[in-house]
Amino acid sequence: MKVLKTNKDLQEVLQQIRSEKNRLGFVPTMGALHEGHINLVNKSIDENDISIVSVFVNPKQFNNVEDFEKYPNTVQSDINLLEKAGCDYLFLPDFNEVYTSAYQPVNIDLGAIDDVFEGPLRPGHFDGVVQVVNILFRLVQPDMAYFGLKDYQQCMVIKALRDQKYPKINLSLCPTVRAQSGLALSSRNKRLSDKGLEKAAFIYKALKTVNELKKHIEADDAVKYGAHILSTHHIEVEYFALANAETLQPSRKWLRSGKNVVLAAVWIEGVRLIDNIVF
Ligand code: AMP
């Protein structure tokens, strides 16, 4: 695998890829790679001739400075994992390579997506995501780009960006990879103690319970019961709510014709974790 640190090096490689009419897959990440990321990389390798992964911890999407400062940096282990997976290129730019002196923020209409759940709780977060993915899409111009449904609302934001600015890029939104306990893999899990990890497994248990209760009880009661599971395990719930999976608008009733999503954000040992289930 070749590591590209500058846009100049990236453009040279891309020129070659395009001249050979190779199909290009792209996986943007912030590093601290785990099986969830590698699953996206494997999919890209399966479906394309060439795969590029980017590792860039984007300061603009952190609304909390401490979270940014504590974000794990594991470049060597990331490189090892990507080489083992058979990735072709790693784009590993620094801040000035991404946000050059010519940087102009892009304006995307996110409609109501930014008004719910993560939007109001993490002001500026989705705008930061839009800015960095816009820059990366513009630089890489892939045929396919891979994102994880673990960050469900983020996937909808990326769809809006793609629809409005990059209609030629195909998006592949991939299922959440979980530990055996059901806990969604996340680089933040590294900050939890063994006890915290045990507790965190109840997030997915609570989400699954809501799904299972759909056949039996009203949505409001099922969601209350799910949240109750979390509070019995002393998990601080920021939100635990049902929404329309297409529009993300919160709902107090099951959707019978469209898909339901239950979204959760909780705090365990000072670490904020998010997860969701679609059914
Ligand atoms: P991040 O490095 O956290 O920005 O994540 C990079 C990409 O990996 C995003 O599209 C995430 O949604 C995706 N991702 C992170 N964790 C998981 C997981 N457990 N399962 C599937 N995709 C994931």
Side-chain angles (χ1 to χ4, degrees):
M1 182 181 69
K2 228 172 151 183
V3 180
L4 310 166
K5 293 201 169 171
T6 64
N7 181 31
K8 186 171 162 284
D9 290 348
L10 174 70
Q11 294 311 318
E12 272 174 27
V13 162
L14 289 172
Q15 220 171 19
Q16 176 81 14
I17 293 171
R18 286 188 196 114
S19 72
E20 290 170 4
K21 297 216 175 345
N22 279 317
R23 190 179 159 83
L24 178 62
F26 178 48
V27 185
T29 80
M30 298 207 295
L33 302 183
H34 51 63
E35 278 306 311
H37 300 108
I38 297 303
N39 181 50
L40 305 181
V41 177
N42 287 338
K43 237 181 144 217
S44 174
I45 292 171
D46 277 356
E47 296 176 358
N48 300 280
D49 302 309
I50 301 285
S51 290
I52 300 187
V53 173
S54 64
V55 168
F56 175 65
V57 185
N58 174 35
K60 289 195 194 287
Q61 73 186 69
F62 287 84
N63 54 309
N64 176 330
V65 181
E66 196 191 342
D67 202 22
F68 174 61
E69 283 167 356
K70 283 194 178 162
Y71 207 83
N73 177 333
T74 60
V75 177
Q76 195 49 53
S77 122
D78 292 349
I79 291 176
N80 295 345
L81 280 172
L82 291 171
E83 279 192 328
K84 198 165 149 228
C87 177
D88 301 290
Y89 296 98
L90 167 61
F91 182 43
L92 187 64
D94 67 14
F95 181 86
N96 293 323
E97 209 52 53
V98 175
Y99 296 103
T100 63
S101 53
Y103 164 66
Q104 293 278 354
V106 69
N107 205 353
I108 295 294
D109 179 10
L110 294 179
I113 306 169
D114 200 21
D115 297 340
V116 288
F117 303 110
E118 297 295 288
L121 289 165
R122 300 186 67 190
H125 169 64
F126 287 130
D127 185 54
V129 170
V130 164
Q131 299 311 326
V132 76
V133 177
N134 175 58
I135 293 168
L136 292 169
F137 275 4
R138 180 163 45 75
L139 296 181
V140 179
Q141 304 269 343
D143 297 292
M144 292 285 308
Y146 296 80
F147 293 87
L149 284 166
K150 147 122 191 341
D151 300 288
Y152 191 83
Q153 198 170 357
Q154 172 172 283
C155 284
M156 304 196 71
V157 167
I158 305 288
K159 262 196 210 165
L161 171 67
R162 190 279 309 269
D163 291 350
Q164 290 169 46
K165 291 267 298 178
Y166 300 93
K168 286 194 188 147
I169 300 181
N170 291 297
L171 295 182
S172 176
L173 308 178
C174 307
T176 303
V177 178
R178 301 179 179 282
Q180 252 193 344
S181 67
L183 173 63
L185 297 187
S186 163
S187 39
R188 289 163 181 227
N189 297 352
K190 292 193 177 102
R191 284 159 56 191
L192 296 175
S193 70
D194 287 349
K195 210 158 168 226
L197 286 169
E198 263 174 46
K199 254 193 193 187
F202 284 98
I203 306 168
Y204 190 54
K205 288 199 177 92
L207 291 168
K208 268 202 318 196
T209 303
V210 180
N211 179 7
E212 283 155 11
L213 287 173
K214 177 164 179 268
K215 281 195 215 108
H216 309 289
I217 61 177
E218 293 300 324
D220 234 13
D221 294 328
V223 170
K224 272 191 202 136
Y225 188 71
H228 170 75
I229 295 177
L230 297 175
S231 49
T232 1
H233 291 92
H234 309 287
I235 295 171
E236 188 191 326
V237 177
E238 201 161 65
Y239 60 77
F240 186 88
L242 174 71
N244 178 322
E246 283 288 307
T247 63
L248 268 197
Q249 290 317 293
S251 171
R252 300 192 66 175
K253 297 217 152 76
W254 301 121
L255 262 98
R256 300 288 172 189
S257 51
K259 289 224 158 171
N260 299 270
V261 60
V262 180
L263 299 136
V266 307
W267 288 88
I268 296 175
E269 298 177 339
V271 181
R272 189 171 187 275
L273 301 171
I274 60 169
D275 199 354
N276 66 81
I277 191 167
V278 179
F279 54 93

